Amino acid sequence: SSKDQKKKGICFHGTPGGHEFSSFLSALYQAAGPGKTVTESIYKRLQSLSMPVRMDIGMTLNCTKCPELVTSSILVASFSPKVEVHIINLAQFPAFKEKHQVYHVPFLLVNQKKTYYGKKNVEELVEILENTQREENA
């Protein structure tokens, strides 16, 4: 929750450490106060999401590519009340890894349906979320 008691939709599953400790601090910073900003265009696109979206991110603490996806997802969730992100340390949650057959990281699962691999920036995540909304509304 943020300082104004609004849910930010950012959940960490596991003990943050390694490369992800900075991402965990970034999530706290986003929820607590001024945080990082996004462009006006990205902000408007995030505000126009019409349906709730859940992102599950499978990561490992020693992955050098995971922090970009994690940090980008934190920004997206902090600027849209429709987005919820669950950041999952696969070493501590092997059942998630097995269930979704995660063979490498970073791993992104959108609405428990569609999977993506590799680092993603904010723009790429917004595009994925917009495409998800279009597909689910079709």
Side-chain angles (χ1 to χ4, degrees):
S1 295
S2 65
K3 65 182 177 181
D4 58 2
Q5 301 304 310
K6 291 182 181 175
K7 183 178 174 189
K8 287 293 183 185
I10 304 167
C11 306
F12 274 82
H13 301 269
T15 307
H19 294 292
E20 294 306 333
F21 189 72
S22 294
S23 301
F24 179 69
L25 292 177
S26 176
L28 293 175
Y29 184 64
Q30 281 301 122
K36 293 182 180 180
T37 60
V38 292
T39 65
E40 183 70 23
S41 170
I42 293 290
Y43 180 77
K44 286 179 180 178
R45 290 168 67 188
L46 287 169
Q47 294 301 304
S48 71
L49 294 174
S50 59
M51 299 166 37
V53 180
R54 177 179 170 142
M55 295 187 292
D56 290 286
I57 297 175
M59 59 80 178
T60 62
L61 299 181
N62 60 350
C63 172
T64 59
K65 295 180 181 179
C66 291
E68 183 175 357
L69 175 59
V70 170
T71 302
S72 295
S73 70
I74 289 167
L75 276 172
V76 166
S78 70
F79 284 101
S80 176
K82 300 284 188 193
V83 178
E84 184 174 297
V85 62
H86 292 261
I87 301 153
I88 303 154
N89 180 342
L90 296 177
Q92 293 179 293
F93 291 88
F96 179 89
K97 181 179 179 180
E98 290 172 24
K99 178 181 179 183
H100 299 290
Q101 300 177 351
V102 180
Y103 297 112
H104 63 277
V105 291
F107 170 79
L108 170 63
L109 176 64
V110 179
N111 284 350
Q112 300 290 306
K113 296 176 188 170
K114 203 156 187 184
T115 60
Y116 302 85
Y117 287 93
K119 60 184 183 176
K120 306 276 183 272
N121 61 33
V122 171
E123 175 76 31
E124 291 168 317
L125 279 180
V126 172
E127 190 171 316
I128 287 169
L129 298 180
E130 289 171 333
N131 288 338
T132 298
Q133 300 256 303
R134 278 192 287 276
E135 290 168 7
E136 291 185 2
N137 281 330

